[in-house]
Amino acid sequence: MKFAQLVIGTAGAGKSTYCSNMLEYMASLKRTVHVMNLDPAADALQYDPSIDVRDVITVSQVMEDRPELGPNGALVLAMEEVSRDYAYLEETLGDYSDDYLIIDCPGQIELFTHLDVMGRLSRTLEGLGYRVAAVYLSESTFISDPGALVYSALAALSAMLALGIPHINLLSKVDLLADDMKKSLSGAFPDPHRLVSRLNMDMPMFSTVNDTIAELVADYSMIQYYPLDYTDDDTLLNIVAQLDHMLQFYDDAEVGGADFNEDPE
Ligand SMILES: Nc1nc2c(ncn2[C@@H]2O[C@H](COP(=O)(O)OP(=O)(O)OP(=O)(O)O)[C@@H](O)[C@H]2O)c(=O)[nH]1
Ligand SMILES: [Mg+2]
Protein backbone atom coordinates (compact mmCIF):
# COMPACT_ATOMS: atom_id res chain seq x y z
CA MET A 1 0.00 0.00 0.00
CA LYS A 2 1.16 3.56 -0.64
CA PHE A 3 0.71 6.57 1.63
CA ALA A 4 1.52 10.27 1.28
CA GLN A 5 1.65 13.29 3.52
CA LEU A 6 1.16 16.61 1.74
CA VAL A 7 3.03 18.99 4.04
CA ILE A 8 1.53 22.46 3.57
CA GLY A 9 1.24 25.71 5.54
CA THR A 10 2.36 29.30 5.57
CA ALA A 11 5.85 30.43 4.49
CA GLY A 12 8.51 29.70 7.09
CA ALA A 13 6.14 27.69 9.33
CA GLY A 14 8.65 24.82 9.52
CA LYS A 15 7.49 22.47 6.71
CA SER A 16 10.95 21.47 5.47
CA THR A 17 12.21 20.97 9.04
CA TYR A 18 9.16 18.77 9.75
CA CYS A 19 9.83 16.71 6.58
CA SER A 20 13.43 16.17 7.60
CA ASN A 21 12.51 15.13 11.16
CA MET A 22 9.58 12.97 10.01
CA LEU A 23 11.82 11.21 7.48
CA GLU A 24 14.28 10.33 10.23
CA TYR A 25 11.54 9.24 12.63
CA MET A 26 9.74 7.04 10.07
CA ALA A 27 13.04 5.46 9.04
CA SER A 28 13.57 4.57 12.73
CA LEU A 29 10.19 2.76 12.53
CA LYS A 30 11.63 0.73 9.62
CA ARG A 31 9.16 2.13 7.10
CA THR A 32 10.10 2.61 3.45
CA VAL A 33 9.96 6.37 3.38
CA HIS A 34 10.93 9.04 0.85
CA VAL A 35 10.77 12.81 0.81
CA MET A 36 9.79 14.67 -2.34
CA ASN A 37 10.77 18.32 -2.55
CA LEU A 38 7.96 20.12 -4.35
CA ASP A 39 9.31 23.62 -3.73
CA PRO A 40 10.92 24.98 -6.93
CA ALA A 41 12.27 27.92 -4.87
CA ALA A 42 13.95 25.75 -2.21
CA ASP A 43 17.53 26.67 -1.49
CA ALA A 44 19.49 24.30 0.75
CA LEU A 45 17.48 21.39 2.19
CA GLN A 46 18.16 19.60 5.48
CA TYR A 47 17.30 16.23 3.89
CA ASP A 48 18.23 14.34 0.75
CA PRO A 49 15.11 14.28 -1.47
CA SER A 50 14.35 11.08 -3.41
CA ILE A 51 12.35 13.18 -5.90
CA ASP A 52 13.08 16.86 -6.51
CA VAL A 53 10.89 19.21 -8.52
CA ARG A 54 13.98 21.38 -9.11
CA ASP A 55 15.17 18.70 -11.57
CA VAL A 56 12.26 19.81 -13.78
CA ILE A 57 11.79 23.50 -12.98
CA THR A 58 13.22 26.17 -10.68
CA VAL A 59 11.91 29.60 -9.83
CA SER A 60 15.13 31.23 -11.07
CA GLN A 61 14.66 29.56 -14.50
CA VAL A 62 11.09 30.89 -14.70
CA MET A 63 12.27 34.38 -13.71
CA GLU A 64 14.93 34.31 -16.44
CA ASP A 65 12.31 33.38 -19.05
CA ARG A 66 9.70 35.79 -17.69
CA PRO A 67 11.60 38.80 -16.27
CA GLU A 68 8.32 40.65 -15.67
CA LEU A 69 7.45 38.19 -12.89
CA GLY A 70 8.54 38.55 -9.28
CA PRO A 71 9.51 35.53 -7.14
CA ASN A 72 5.94 34.90 -5.96
CA GLY A 73 4.40 35.03 -9.45
CA ALA A 74 7.22 32.87 -10.84
CA LEU A 75 6.63 30.25 -8.15
CA VAL A 76 2.89 30.12 -8.79
CA LEU A 77 3.53 29.77 -12.55
CA ALA A 78 6.11 27.01 -11.94
CA MET A 79 3.68 25.13 -9.70
CA GLU A 80 0.85 25.45 -12.22
CA GLU A 81 3.13 23.95 -14.88
CA VAL A 82 4.28 21.14 -12.59
CA SER A 83 0.76 20.23 -11.52
CA ARG A 84 -0.27 19.99 -15.19
CA ASP A 85 2.63 17.68 -15.97
CA TYR A 86 1.14 14.42 -14.76
CA ALA A 87 3.58 12.46 -16.92
CA TYR A 88 6.53 13.65 -14.82
CA LEU A 89 4.77 12.85 -11.56
CA GLU A 90 3.59 9.46 -12.74
CA GLU A 91 7.03 8.50 -14.03
CA THR A 92 8.88 9.46 -10.88
CA LEU A 93 6.27 8.36 -8.34
CA GLY A 94 5.44 5.17 -10.17
CA ASP A 95 8.85 3.71 -9.33
CA TYR A 96 7.87 3.10 -5.70
CA SER A 97 5.46 0.24 -5.03
CA ASP A 98 5.20 0.00 -1.25
CA ASP A 99 5.91 3.46 -0.06
CA TYR A 100 5.41 6.29 2.38
CA LEU A 101 5.95 9.62 0.69
CA ILE A 102 6.41 12.93 2.53
CA ILE A 103 5.92 15.90 0.20
CA ASP A 104 7.55 19.20 1.14
CA CYS A 105 5.36 21.88 -0.47
CA PRO A 106 5.98 25.59 -1.09
CA GLY A 107 4.48 28.05 1.43
CA GLN A 108 2.27 30.07 -0.95
CA ILE A 109 -1.22 29.76 0.48
CA GLU A 110 -2.86 30.63 -2.87
CA LEU A 111 -1.69 27.23 -4.23
CA PHE A 112 -4.62 25.66 -2.41
CA THR A 113 -6.96 28.55 -1.55
CA HIS A 114 -7.28 30.28 -4.95
CA LEU A 115 -5.77 27.72 -7.33
CA ASP A 116 -6.28 24.00 -7.67
CA VAL A 117 -2.54 23.18 -7.75
CA MET A 118 -2.52 21.12 -4.53
CA GLY A 119 -5.95 19.62 -5.28
CA ARG A 120 -4.67 18.38 -8.66
CA LEU A 121 -1.61 16.93 -7.00
CA SER A 122 -3.58 15.04 -4.35
CA ARG A 123 -5.97 13.65 -6.99
CA THR A 124 -3.00 12.55 -9.12
CA LEU A 125 -1.50 10.77 -6.14
CA GLU A 126 -4.82 9.10 -5.33
CA GLY A 127 -5.03 7.97 -8.96
CA LEU A 128 -1.61 6.34 -8.49
CA GLY A 129 -2.87 4.36 -5.50
CA TYR A 130 -1.72 6.65 -2.66
CA ARG A 131 -3.79 7.36 0.42
CA VAL A 132 -3.12 11.07 0.94
CA ALA A 133 -3.39 13.23 4.06
CA ALA A 134 -2.74 16.95 4.38
CA VAL A 135 -0.41 18.02 7.18
CA TYR A 136 -0.99 21.74 7.75
CA LEU A 137 1.59 23.68 9.78
CA SER A 138 0.78 26.99 11.51
CA GLU A 139 3.35 28.89 13.51
CA SER A 140 2.64 28.89 17.24
CA THR A 141 4.61 32.06 17.91
CA PHE A 142 1.54 34.04 16.75
CA ILE A 143 -0.96 32.54 19.17
CA SER A 144 -0.68 35.28 21.77
CA ASP A 145 -2.26 37.61 19.17
CA PRO A 146 -5.99 36.77 18.91
CA GLY A 147 -6.30 38.32 15.43
CA ALA A 148 -3.39 36.24 14.09
CA LEU A 149 -4.78 33.15 15.79
CA VAL A 150 -8.15 33.61 14.07
CA TYR A 151 -6.44 34.23 10.74
CA SER A 152 -4.37 31.06 11.06
CA ALA A 153 -7.39 28.97 12.18
CA LEU A 154 -9.45 30.20 9.20
CA ALA A 155 -6.55 29.62 6.77
CA ALA A 156 -6.19 26.05 8.09
CA LEU A 157 -9.94 25.56 7.75
CA SER A 158 -9.96 26.88 4.17
CA ALA A 159 -7.12 24.50 3.23
CA MET A 160 -9.06 21.63 4.79
CA LEU A 161 -12.24 22.47 2.89
CA ALA A 162 -10.44 23.21 -0.40
CA LEU A 163 -8.50 19.94 -0.45
CA GLY A 164 -11.21 17.69 0.99
CA ILE A 165 -8.72 15.01 2.11
CA PRO A 166 -7.88 13.74 5.63
CA HIS A 167 -6.27 16.67 7.38
CA ILE A 168 -4.20 17.26 10.52
CA ASN A 169 -3.26 20.68 11.93
CA LEU A 170 0.10 21.13 13.59
CA LEU A 171 1.24 24.06 15.68
CA SER A 172 4.95 24.43 14.96
CA LYS A 173 7.86 25.88 16.98
CA VAL A 174 6.19 25.19 20.33
CA ASP A 175 9.69 25.00 21.86
CA LEU A 176 9.87 28.80 21.41
CA LEU A 177 6.75 29.47 23.53
CA ALA A 178 6.83 30.65 27.14
CA ASP A 179 5.70 27.99 29.64
CA ASP A 180 2.30 29.60 30.32
CA MET A 181 1.55 29.67 26.58
CA LYS A 182 2.56 26.00 26.31
CA LYS A 183 0.11 25.18 29.11
CA SER A 184 -2.73 26.97 27.28
CA LEU A 185 -2.35 24.42 24.45
CA SER A 186 -3.57 21.53 26.58
CA GLY A 187 -7.31 20.86 26.43
CA ALA A 188 -9.54 22.61 23.90
CA PHE A 189 -7.44 24.92 21.77
CA PRO A 190 -8.36 27.33 20.39
CA ASP A 191 -11.11 27.64 23.02
CA PRO A 192 -13.89 29.52 21.15
CA HIS A 193 -15.19 31.30 24.29
CA ARG A 194 -11.75 32.52 25.28
CA LEU A 195 -11.11 33.50 21.69
CA VAL A 196 -14.27 35.61 21.43
CA SER A 197 -13.67 37.43 24.72
CA ARG A 198 -10.12 38.31 23.65
CA LEU A 199 -11.31 39.46 20.21
CA ASN A 200 -14.08 41.57 21.76
CA MET A 201 -11.56 43.20 24.07
CA ASP A 202 -9.34 44.20 21.12
CA MET A 203 -12.11 44.89 18.61
CA PRO A 204 -15.41 45.62 20.43
CA MET A 205 -16.90 47.19 17.27
CA PHE A 206 -16.74 43.79 15.52
CA SER A 207 -18.47 41.79 18.28
CA THR A 208 -21.09 40.29 15.91
CA VAL A 209 -18.39 39.11 13.49
CA ASN A 210 -16.29 37.89 16.41
CA ASP A 211 -19.20 35.81 17.76
CA THR A 212 -19.79 34.31 14.31
CA ILE A 213 -16.12 33.41 13.88
CA ALA A 214 -16.01 31.76 17.32
CA GLU A 215 -19.16 29.79 16.43
CA LEU A 216 -17.53 28.65 13.17
CA VAL A 217 -14.39 27.55 15.03
CA ALA A 218 -16.57 25.67 17.56
CA ASP A 219 -18.69 24.05 14.83
CA TYR A 220 -15.61 22.79 13.03
CA SER A 221 -14.25 21.19 16.15
CA MET A 222 -11.76 19.59 13.78
CA ILE A 223 -9.72 22.79 14.05
CA GLN A 224 -7.66 20.95 16.55
CA TYR A 225 -3.97 21.47 16.79
CA TYR A 226 -1.24 19.00 17.59
CA PRO A 227 1.76 20.77 19.12
CA LEU A 228 5.02 20.21 17.27
CA ASP A 229 7.89 20.32 19.73
CA TYR A 230 10.97 18.35 18.71
CA THR A 231 12.36 18.63 22.25
CA ASP A 232 9.48 16.35 23.34
CA ASP A 233 10.01 12.68 22.38
CA ASP A 234 6.25 12.04 22.12
CA THR A 235 5.60 14.77 19.53
CA LEU A 236 6.26 12.78 16.35
CA LEU A 237 4.92 9.57 17.89
CA ASN A 238 1.51 11.24 18.53
CA ILE A 239 1.38 12.73 15.05
CA VAL A 240 2.26 9.43 13.34
CA ALA A 241 -0.38 7.62 15.44
CA GLN A 242 -3.01 10.14 14.34
CA LEU A 243 -1.94 9.97 10.69
CA ASP A 244 -1.89 6.14 10.76
CA HIS A 245 -5.44 6.20 12.09
CA MET A 246 -6.62 8.67 9.41
CA LEU A 247 -4.90 6.80 6.58
CA GLN A 248 -5.84 3.36 7.97
CA PHE A 249 -2.19 2.43 7.83
CA TYR A 250 -2.54 -0.84 9.76
CA ASP A 251 -5.87 -1.97 8.30
CA ASP A 252 -4.40 -4.01 5.44
CA ALA A 253 -1.92 -5.73 7.73
CA GLU A 254 -4.64 -6.60 10.28
CA VAL A 255 -7.13 -7.92 7.73
CA GLY A 256 -4.41 -9.87 5.90
CA GLY A 257 -2.95 -11.29 9.10
CA ALA A 258 -6.15 -12.40 10.82
CA ASP A 259 -7.52 -15.83 10.04
CA PHE A 260 -11.25 -15.40 10.50
CA ASN A 261 -11.95 -19.10 9.78
CA GLU A 262 -9.62 -20.31 12.47
CA ASP A 263 -11.25 -22.59 15.04
CA PRO A 264 -10.97 -20.89 18.49
CA GLU A 265 -10.13 -24.29 20.00
N1 LIG B 1 12.85 26.78 17.24
C1 LIG B 1 12.36 26.16 16.18
N2 LIG B 1 12.68 26.59 14.94
C2 LIG B 1 12.16 25.93 13.88
C3 LIG B 1 11.28 24.81 14.03
N3 LIG B 1 10.91 24.39 12.81
C4 LIG B 1 11.52 25.21 11.93
N4 LIG B 1 12.28 26.14 12.55
C5 LIG B 1 13.09 27.22 11.94
O1 LIG B 1 12.22 28.05 11.19
C6 LIG B 1 12.85 28.47 9.96
C7 LIG B 1 11.97 28.05 8.77
O2 LIG B 1 11.92 26.63 8.76
P1 LIG B 1 11.64 25.80 7.43
O3 LIG B 1 11.55 24.37 7.82
O4 LIG B 1 12.60 26.17 6.35
O5 LIG B 1 10.21 26.39 7.07
P2 LIG B 1 9.36 26.17 5.72
O6 LIG B 1 7.93 26.16 6.13
O7 LIG B 1 9.87 25.01 4.97
O8 LIG B 1 9.68 27.51 4.94
P3 LIG B 1 9.35 27.84 3.39
O9 LIG B 1 9.70 26.62 2.59
O10 LIG B 1 10.24 29.02 3.10
O11 LIG B 1 7.90 28.18 3.32
C8 LIG B 1 14.23 27.82 9.96
O12 LIG B 1 15.16 28.78 10.45
C9 LIG B 1 14.09 26.66 10.93
O13 LIG B 1 15.31 26.33 11.56
C10 LIG B 1 10.97 24.38 15.37
O14 LIG B 1 10.21 23.43 15.62
N5 LIG B 1 11.53 25.09 16.39
MG1 LIG C 1 10.54 24.79 2.97
Side-chain angles (χ1 to χ4, degrees), residues 68-90:
E68 74 277 17
L69 293 177
N72 206 45
L75 184 129
V76 170
L77 189 68
M79 289 306 295
E80 284 204 291
E81 279 189 21
V82 164
S83 73
R84 263 197 294 271
D85 188 359
Y86 295 119
Y88 160 73
L89 284 177
E90 284 174 27

Side-chain angles (χ1 to χ4, degrees), residues 38-108:
L38 196 66
D39 186 352
D43 204 1
L45 293 169
Q46 306 99 308
Y47 56 83
D48 188 15
S50 300
I51 308 169
D52 195 338
V53 74
R54 294 174 301 178
D55 294 340
V56 180
I57 198 163
T58 63
V59 162
S60 44
Q61 279 165 358
V62 175
M63 286 176 73
E64 262 173 42
D65 295 344
R66 299 278 300 269
E68 74 277 17
L69 293 177
N72 206 45
L75 184 129
V76 170
L77 189 68
M79 289 306 295
E80 284 204 291
E81 279 189 21
V82 164
S83 73
R84 263 197 294 271
D85 188 359
Y86 295 119
Y88 160 73
L89 284 177
E90 284 174 27
E91 256 167 49
T92 44
L93 294 173
D95 288 340
Y96 302 102
S97 53
D98 240 353
D99 196 21
Y100 203 121
L101 195 60
I102 302 168
I103 306 176
D104 187 8
C105 299
Q108 274 70 6

